[in-house]
Amino acid sequence: MPEVSVIIPVYNGEKYIKDAINSVLNQTFKDLEIVIVNDASTDNTEKVIFENFEKEIKEKKILYHKNPKNMERSYSRNKGYSLSLGKYIFFLDYDDEWEKEYIAESIKYLADYDIVYSFPRTFIDSYGKIKGKSSKKLLDDVGKVIFSGNIGYPSASGFRRGAFLMYDEEISYREDWELFIRSFLAGLKIKILDNNKVKIREHSNRTSKKNLDMLLNTILIYEKYKDLIPDKYINYMKFHLGDMYLRYGDLFNGWKYILQSFREKNLLTFRNIATLIKRGFRLDKYLSYCSLKRMVL
């Protein structure tokens, strides 16, 4: 039985799936299996996998499963978990990559914590070259990080097997953030590492920040959990929700939640104020939001 299972859901990932799998096989930690869940891809994803990793599939180093129809990411991650055998569960999106020491450095903390999260700072382009690195300062409290919306990439997440609460298959966007909120509220111990071992790929096919479903699901999650959030964190979540509204151009609701959040004086940072100046007065964004809202709703 492998110590670690790495679950890779993929849909139409022919361009990047090979690099993602290789970044797992090249890990310094070797006692692992890879579970690939092909979510009924319509491109050459399956061909790329079998042409490049037939040996590993035959040796059962890689377990390959294909959904009979497209079921979306949350289902595919849960399916991969149900097929896996590892004591520890790691997720990797098909278009992201890991540094070689990622699992070895993360797994050390899973003896004492239920979940470990390696805060992503490096972003790569379609060719794997670094586009930029985040200098965002991490808050000093796991709850603040979570409710501020600064946690959630599946590719940065590792779980003790019994601590994985499953993705909510009813949520199509922000499902990773929702899982961390639910895990925190359930009392699970979460460790955040700032070791820069995860590379997030930004490309045209990745979930677009212009997609209104991102905002709608943020609102849905806020409404679902607002009465369960400890008082010390509620204003961090309100600020995040207000910021999301402003990002999409809903200036009225954005400022409503931002102003409510300022009851927490620690949110009055230079970075937050700079963000508000950048996003909070753009009428062009507001007009674009109105147009996008009419199309979606």
Side-chain angles (χ1 to χ4, degrees):
M1 181 180 296
E3 186 86 352
V4 168
S5 295
V6 177
I7 296 164
I8 306 178
V10 56
Y11 176 71
N12 288 354
E14 62 181 7
K15 291 183 180 179
Y16 310 117
I17 187 65
K18 180 180 175 182
D19 290 339
I21 295 171
N22 278 327
S23 82
V24 181
L25 294 175
N26 291 333
Q27 291 292 299
T28 57
F29 185 92
K30 297 299 184 183
D31 186 11
L32 56 82
E33 66 173 358
I34 301 172
V35 181
I36 301 172
V37 180
N38 182 349
D39 195 17
S41 296
T42 58
D43 67 353
N44 289 318
T45 292
E46 186 169 74
K47 180 179 179 182
V48 170
I49 292 170
F50 278 87
E51 282 185 350
N52 289 278
F53 303 104
E54 184 177 4
K55 175 176 177 289
E56 288 81 2
I57 292 172
K58 287 182 177 178
E59 294 174 349
K60 298 187 178 180
K61 181 82 171 179
I62 294 176
L63 173 64
Y64 177 81
H65 171 82
K66 186 173 183 179
N67 294 334
K69 63 179 182 178
N70 185 257
M71 299 294 291
E72 299 294 347
R73 299 171 299 198
S74 293
Y75 172 89
S76 294
R77 293 188 189 111
N78 290 341
K79 181 65 177 180
Y81 168 77
S82 72
L83 295 171
S84 69
L85 298 173
K87 180 179 178 182
Y88 303 109
I89 307 298
F90 286 78
F91 292 93
L92 178 63
D93 284 351
Y94 74 89
D95 45 1
D96 296 333
E97 298 178 24
W98 289 335
E99 297 288 356
K100 292 181 179 181
E101 306 84 8
Y102 168 69
I103 292 179
E105 291 200 11
S106 298
I107 199 172
K108 294 184 294 186
Y109 294 90
L110 287 172
D112 298 312
Y113 291 88
D114 299 301
I115 304 171
V116 63
Y117 184 79
S118 182
F119 191 79
R121 292 198 177 276
T122 299
F123 297 85
I124 58 177
D125 63 16
S126 296
Y127 304 99
K129 295 182 179 179
I130 295 175
K131 289 183 65 176
K133 292 190 176 184
S134 170
S135 59
K136 182 179 291 186
K137 183 179 179 181
L138 274 175
L139 295 171
D140 58 357
D141 181 305
V142 171
K144 292 178 182 177
V145 176
I146 292 173
F147 292 109
S148 295
N150 289 322
I151 196 167
Y153 285 105
S155 296
S157 308
F159 300 80
R160 293 172 63 179
R161 187 171 193 89
F164 175 58
L165 300 183
M166 310 289 280
Y167 283 92
D168 185 340
E169 295 175 17
E170 298 299 317
I171 299 177
S172 55
Y173 292 85
R174 305 301 308 266
E175 72 281 357
D176 38 15
W177 181 47
E178 188 276 339
L179 177 60
F180 270 90
I181 291 173
R182 188 158 31 97
S183 298
F184 182 87
L185 293 176
L188 297 181
K189 294 174 64 179
I190 301 170
K191 176 68 175 178
I192 300 178
L193 303 177
D194 195 5
N195 57 5
N196 196 21
K197 296 299 180 183
V198 178
K199 294 184 284 188
I200 304 296
R201 194 185 304 270
E202 294 186 336
H203 56 89
S204 59
N205 291 332
R206 197 173 190 105
T207 303
S208 173
K209 291 180 179 178
K210 295 180 180 179
N211 190 325
L212 192 58
D213 285 334
M214 290 287 287
L215 173 59
L216 296 177
N217 278 269
T218 302
I219 299 167
L220 183 154
I221 292 167
Y222 171 77
E223 292 294 333
K224 181 176 181 179
Y225 291 109
K226 65 181 181 180
D227 295 328
L228 302 174
I229 300 169
D231 290 344
K232 66 184 290 189
Y233 301 126
I234 187 63
N235 287 316
Y236 289 89
M237 195 167 188
K238 285 184 176 181
F239 183 90
H240 175 61
L241 178 59
D243 181 46
M244 287 292 289
Y245 271 120
L246 293 181
R247 185 182 299 178
Y248 283 84
D250 187 338
L251 303 186
F252 175 80
N253 280 309
W255 280 111
K256 181 180 79 171
Y257 284 102
I258 291 294
L259 293 174
Q260 289 179 17
S261 76
F262 281 162
R263 294 168 186 162
E264 172 57 63
K265 302 304 181 185
N266 290 330
L267 286 167
L268 290 167
T269 65
F270 176 81
R271 185 185 185 100
N272 285 345
I273 292 170
T275 297
L276 296 178
I277 292 172
K278 177 182 177 182
R279 293 178 179 160
F281 303 97
R282 292 189 56 180
L283 292 178
D284 60 325
K285 280 277 190 179
Y286 171 73
L287 294 173
S288 175
Y289 167 77
C290 292
S291 176
L292 186 61
K293 189 175 180 180
R294 281 196 299 271
M295 287 190 294
V296 173
L297 301 179

